Amino acid sequence: MLELRQLAVLRAIAQEGSLAAAARSLHHTQPTVTHHLGVLEAHFGARLVRRGPRGAALTELGAALLPHAEAVLERLRLAEREVRDLAERGARTLHIGTFPTAGALLLPPAVKAVRAEGVQVSLVEGELPALLRGLAARELHAALVFSQPGDRLDLDDDFELHPLLTDPLLLVMPQDHRCAGLAQVPLAELRDDDWIGSADPRDPCDRVLSWACARHGFQPVHGLRTDDYAVVQGFVAAGTGVALVPRLALGTPRSDVAVRTLTGPPLAREISVAVLRTTAARSTGGLVEALTRQAGRIGEQWGTPAAAGGGPSR
């Protein structure tokens, strides 16, 4: 029978590069680490670690076992955290991540609904890359995430992805812009305009703009950058540039800007909730249901699809 200590020893050797360093990281003696490794290798009847004068490295068989060992140890860590939360707070705690615009409109009613069921919520706000890292590290039970043309979400099979809302990306320009009289604006007409972009050039909306512009043979020139969408509208109204803004982030547009769609295939981001399959499934089920209801209400207000699909995509 395999033991957790043996799997922890294998992981420590892989991380530290020697039995001595693995022993220090685990607060064991080196003979203890050697013993557990020997029992593990005897269980499989094969050598899992190759030892030499410069340290230790996993054999091909050890490397094949390592991701399974890491998954078992990670699942145990999550179980311990959930049970501790339940014991300390008297209620299950969900660790939820969100990006700012979704946190403002989608999440509050859903949090209210799950808290009414006796579930506590720990909220983490961040941009999409940070949320994906939190999910990958199993620090979050669930997170509001999005994908869009040219990008894809990199989540493993431990997650379910529940589509919630199609969030169109809209062109915001000054009221006196030469294209303001058009119902839909060809992107090629904006090749000479300055664009107001995100503070981080790697921002997903900036990337999708570059992707779309490249299809028309040019790259957007960013004159100013900010992560505050109210500031974006202010700069647009002042005539310093145009911007591509998610509908969810637009709120009530200023009276001195024009908001239009672009011609061609719709540019939009698909907002979903990614849920970790753990013992918190009952609580995350309530969260998904509440988010789906709120997304439906927003979609009705916009007159756009409320969800990209009817169930989890993985």
Side-chain angles (χ1 to χ4, degrees), residues 31-42:
T32 299
V33 166
T34 302
H35 167 74
H36 288 310
L37 175 60
V39 173
L40 187 62
E41 291 182 328

Side-chain angles (χ1 to χ4, degrees), residues 94 96 102 105-117 119 121 144 162-165 272-273 275 281-299 306-307:
L94 282 179
I96 303 173
L105 292 179
L106 269 173
L107 197 55
V111 169
K112 180 180 178 180
V114 296
R115 289 182 67 179
E117 299 297 323
V119 178
V121 172
L144 288 168
H162 299 264
L164 296 173
L165 185 69
S272 305
V273 57
V275 176
R282 287 178 297 173
S283 301
T284 53
L287 176 72
V288 171
E289 290 176 4
L291 283 169
T292 301
R293 288 194 298 270
Q294 177 64 6
R297 287 190 283 266
I298 293 173

Side-chain angles (χ1 to χ4, degrees), residues 91-289:
R92 187 179 301 280
T93 299
L94 282 179
H95 300 272
I96 303 173
T98 182
F99 55 97
T101 51
L105 292 179
L106 269 173
L107 197 55
V111 169
K112 180 180 178 180
V114 296
R115 289 182 67 179
E117 299 297 323
V119 178
Q120 298 296 320
V121 172
S122 170
L123 189 62
V124 175
E125 185 180 83
E127 298 300 333
L128 181 62
L131 298 178
L132 294 176
R133 288 193 297 270
L135 289 169
R138 307 306 192 259
E139 295 169 353
L140 299 173
H141 293 120
L144 288 168
V145 296
F146 61 87
S147 59
Q148 55 195 15
D151 282 342
R152 71 180 187 88
L153 291 172
D154 187 16
L155 295 172
D156 62 38
D157 291 338
D158 282 347
F159 293 93
E160 288 183 348
L161 198 62
H162 299 264
L164 296 173
L165 185 69
T166 298
D167 187 18
L169 303 178
L170 302 176
L171 173 66
V172 183
M173 55 187 170
Q175 278 283 13
D176 59 356
H177 192 278
R178 64 188 182 281
C179 295
L182 302 176
Q184 287 189 311
V185 179
L187 188 56
E189 291 293 322
L190 305 169
R191 66 172 62 244
D192 295 325
D193 285 76
D194 283 343
W195 290 83
I196 301 169
S198 301
D200 185 349
R202 297 167 298 178
D203 180 84
C205 284
D206 278 12
R207 291 204 310 272
V208 78
L209 175 63
S210 294
W211 173 83
C213 290
R215 299 177 67 189
H216 292 275
F218 73 99
Q219 279 297 314
V221 175
H222 290 92
L224 296 168
R225 291 187 175 277
T226 176
D227 285 333
D228 189 319
Y229 285 113
V231 174
V232 169
Q233 288 197 54
F235 279 124
V236 169
T240 61
V242 298
L244 196 63
V245 177
R247 176 66 183 85
L248 200 63
L250 191 59
T252 302
R254 294 172 51 132
S255 60
D256 48 1
V257 301
V259 179
R260 302 289 186 267
T261 58
L262 294 167
T263 60
L267 294 182
R269 57 183 187 177
E270 300 297 335
I271 298 177
S272 305
V273 57
V275 176
L276 179 63
R277 294 188 179 104
T278 68
T279 53
R282 287 178 297 173
S283 301
T284 53
L287 176 72
V288 171
E289 290 176 4

